[in-house]
Amino acid sequence: MIRKELKSLNIASTKEGTSTGQHWFGEGEILTSSSPVDGKDLKRVFSSSKQDYEQVLEKAIAAKGIWSSIPAPKRGEIVRQFGDRLRAQKSALGKLVSYEMGKSYQEGLGEVQEMIDICDFAVGQSRQLYGFTMHSERPAHRMYEQYHPLGIVGIISAFNFPVAVWAWNAALALVCGNVIIWKGSEKTPVCSIACQMILAEVLADNDLPEGISSICTGGAELGRWMAADKRIDLVSATGSTRMGKEVASTVAARLGKSLLELGGNNAIIVTPHADLKMTTMAAVFGAVGTAGQRCTSTRRLIVHNDVYDQVRTALIDAYGQLKIGDPLDVENHVGPLIDRQAVDNYLAALEDIESEGGRLLVAGGVLQGKGYESKCYVKPVIAEAENYYRIVQTETFAPILYLIRYEGTIADAIALQNDVAQGLSSAVMTNNLHEAEHFLSHRGSDCGIANVNIGTSGAEIGGAFGGEKETGGGRESGSDAWKAYMRRQTNTINYSDSIPLAQGITFNL
């Protein structure tokens, strides 16, 4: 069902990839990408052997001097061309994302649009890689700061956003003068190949070395190679907290740089002053969008006792209207989980909820029968729970929403929200100015993203994306996130005819 799109993206429609002399196909073990939509094999691709990995590094090292010597606005022009190619391929790539990952076609298109948006952002940024000028305390001296490319940026991305998160890193890293090596998720390798093909065409059309952008395909071992490799100047990793801790410790052991965007356990606080219609819409979309497989998915709904019963009733009614099925069908609201392992994690979480004393308001289960042959479709769940439950403290990548009651003030609700290990996204639904400002103050949300009257999921390119605590502390995408991809240097120029020494030291020379 995806053959036309694969052809449009210059990816062979045969099940087994064959060596074409291009390094992204590799010579290692064969990985089979199976769609969670219908359980069918999409394509078989070669994983990267250690020899393949070394060849990729050699090409990246050879290319980095050439690329960093090109003026930043010219590098921005290459990224602009990439964005234009994405516009031309938006429909085909969006459908591939939907089919290989399982998110809705509209979300697939939205993910490609995020790629286009970050390219536009990066093009502008290529003319604004600013430093600072400072006054020196020494006469006839000038001081300033400037930023230089790091060299090689390694990008590790997750299955849930198989193309957009790479583009967030790639577009900024490239305009900053770095070359990039990408390890996409082994669960969505065809999406990685498609993006690399598009960018490789742009580089070839401009007579630029292919080592400016490379991909390697594989699992955790490949990620470990990248994390331990001193030749990679920055490792930007998106995924689970467990994975991030391993990457961070390995990179830190060699005093390297890492940028981490890890797990979330996101909450919406609903106060007595909330618009309940808006609340229901934000909570449902946040909890079931992408089948609960976003790092910004709404996991917890912390509701004041005064409106708890109303919110609970509205949510149960809304969940009764959800349509679960093929994500390429625009009539459906919820698609499949990525694979059977994700389904097993979902089922284990349901058992834990009940064993800890929680109560299922909307029961779960795996859907069977026609249209659900992949056995990856599950029912979205609402559970009444307590914030301290172990399972509530854990991020489960599935459509499970915990309904938690609070009494007292906004400060009490914020304390519950912050009482988890993760700190990515958060929101409060209120029309009370005091509550909104308290939530956004230094005494409020401890998350990297804090919203008022909008849900936890979704982000705009213009703002830096990332979180605190076990979310890793990194920032990707907009604002001044570009600085993470460059090294900072302070320069002092003496244009006098003497050298003043520190602390008044003199020499009789």
Side-chain angles (χ1 to χ4, degrees):
M1 67 181 296
I2 200 77
R3 184 176 300 174
K4 181 174 70 174
E5 284 72 22
L6 292 176
K7 184 176 181 180
S8 172
L9 294 164
N10 294 325
I11 300 175
S13 59
T14 55
K15 286 187 177 181
E16 183 170 340
T18 56
S19 177
T20 64
Q22 302 291 352
H23 59 260
W24 53 77
F25 280 93
E27 297 179 355
E29 296 180 358
I30 291 178
L31 297 175
T32 300
S33 175
S34 299
S35 171
V37 174
D38 54 17
K40 296 180 180 179
D41 290 350
L42 172 60
K43 187 173 176 61
R44 298 168 68 190
V45 302
F46 289 102
S47 61
S48 300
S49 66
K50 192 60 184 293
Q51 182 179 355
D52 296 322
Y53 174 76
E54 289 298 329
Q55 290 176 351
V56 165
L57 260 296
E58 289 174 7
K59 291 182 179 181
I61 291 168
K64 70 177 183 178
I66 298 170
W67 182 243
S68 63
S69 299
I70 296 173
K74 298 294 185 182
R75 298 193 296 255
E77 166 60 18
I78 301 303
V79 174
R80 185 197 66 78
Q81 293 179 31
F82 178 49
D84 284 347
R85 296 289 178 93
L86 290 172
R87 286 180 171 88
Q89 296 279 22
K90 181 177 178 180
S91 178
L93 185 54
K95 191 170 184 180
L96 173 60
V97 169
S98 176
Y99 186 68
E100 188 174 31
M101 185 268 153
K103 63 177 57 178
S104 73
Y105 178 49
Q106 288 303 314
E107 288 183 284
L109 292 175
E111 188 168 344
V112 180
Q113 186 61 50
E114 285 191 36
M115 301 176 74
I116 295 167
D117 291 344
I118 195 60
C119 286
D120 289 347
F121 182 94
V123 172
Q125 191 69 71
S126 69
R127 295 181 181 271
Q128 300 180 81
L129 302 177
Y130 296 133
F132 297 97
T133 300
M134 294 80 71
H135 288 279
S136 173
E137 65 184 35
R138 293 164 288 189
H141 284 62
R142 180 166 66 89
M143 291 179 65
Y144 70 96
E145 291 181 347
Q146 60 178 328
Y147 289 84
H148 298 295
L150 288 171
I152 300 177
V153 173
I155 303 168
I156 300 173
S157 63
F159 74 86
N160 59 331
F161 281 86
V163 298
V165 172
W166 166 74
W168 289 0
N169 285 275
L172 291 180
L174 288 171
V175 298
C176 288
N178 304 290
V179 300
I180 55 177
I181 297 173
W182 179 22
K183 177 201 148 353
S185 171
E186 64 273 25
K187 297 181 180 183
T188 52
V190 184
C191 285
S192 301
I193 293 171
C195 292
Q196 174 64 21
M197 293 286 282
I198 295 170
L199 183 50
E201 289 173 359
V202 173
L203 295 174
D205 289 349
N206 288 273
D207 296 319
L208 290 167
E210 65 171 319
I212 291 170
S213 174
S214 309
I215 71 170
C216 291
T217 301
E221 186 63 22
L222 174 56
R224 294 186 184 103
W225 296 343
M226 295 175 67
D229 198 327
K230 292 182 178 180
R231 295 169 294 180
I232 297 181
D233 300 279
L234 170 70
V235 177
S236 177
T238 302
S240 69
T241 296
R242 178 197 54 76
M243 177 276 295
K245 288 180 176 179
E246 183 176 348
V247 168
S249 61
T250 302
V251 174
R254 61 177 175 88
L255 298 181
K257 298 179 184 291
S258 61
L259 191 164
L260 304 174
E261 197 283 286
L262 309 174
N265 194 347
N266 316 295
I268 298 177
I269 294 171
V270 185
T271 83
H273 305 100
D275 181 314
L276 297 189
K277 183 176 180 180
M278 290 175 59
T279 295
T280 303
M281 293 176 64
V284 173
F285 177 75
V288 307
T290 323
Q293 296 174 109
R294 295 186 179 192
C295 53
T296 56
S297 290
T298 305
R299 309 287 178 201
R300 298 173 295 143
L301 203 62
I302 301 170
V303 186
H304 194 276
N305 189 59
D306 289 354
V307 292
Y308 185 89
D309 290 344
Q310 293 169 265
V311 170
R312 178 176 57 190
T313 299
L315 285 172
I316 292 171
D317 180 64
Y319 271 52
Q321 301 174 49
L322 293 175
K323 295 181 180 179
I324 308 166
D326 185 344
L328 293 171
D329 183 344
V330 296
E331 296 296 318
N332 291 324
H333 303 107
V334 184
L337 295 178
I338 185 66
D339 55 23
R340 286 293 304 169
Q341 181 182 353
V343 174
D344 291 342
N345 292 339
Y346 159 88
L347 293 173
L350 298 188
E351 292 181 3
D352 287 346
I353 291 168
E354 295 191 284
S355 68
E356 292 194 71
R359 185 164 73 97
L360 299 182
L361 300 176
V362 176
V366 181
L367 296 173
Q368 307 286 342
K370 185 176 181 181
Y372 304 125
E373 287 84 359
S374 69
K375 299 182 180 179
C376 291
Y377 292 87
V378 302
K379 298 176 183 178
V381 170
I382 301 175
E384 287 186 312
E386 298 292 344
N387 204 62
Y388 62 81
Y389 288 176
R390 185 201 62 80
I391 189 59
V392 175
Q393 294 281 318
T394 303
E395 180 188 38
T396 303
F397 243 44
I400 302 174
L401 178 64
Y402 301 110
L403 202 55
I404 299 165
R405 188 191 302 262
Y406 84 95
E407 297 186 56
T409 67
I410 186 67
D412 297 309
I414 291 170
L416 285 172
Q417 180 214 272
N418 292 345
D419 189 26
V420 293
Q422 309 86 354
L424 179 53
S425 187
S426 59
V428 64
M429 304 300 290
T430 181
N431 288 323
N432 180 288
L433 180 63
H434 164 75
E435 292 177 333
E437 291 296 331
H438 188 100
F439 178 76
L440 299 176
S441 75
H442 69 280
R443 299 171 298 163
S445 171
D446 64 2
C447 296
I449 299 169
N451 299 327
V452 176
N453 290 333
I454 188 171
T456 61
S457 62
E460 292 190 30
I461 289 301
F465 183 88
E468 302 300 322
K469 302 189 295 188
E470 288 195 359
T471 302
R475 294 297 186 274
E476 300 169 325
S477 189
S479 185
D480 65 348
W482 62 272
K483 293 180 180 179
Y485 306 92
M486 305 196 82
R487 61 181 176 89
R488 186 172 182 169
Q489 184 181 79
T490 299
N491 307 116
T492 305
I493 300 170
N494 177 5
Y495 57 93
S496 73
D497 57 3
S498 64
I499 297 181
L501 302 178
Q503 287 82 45
I505 295 174
T506 60
F507 291 96
N508 295 320
L509 299 178

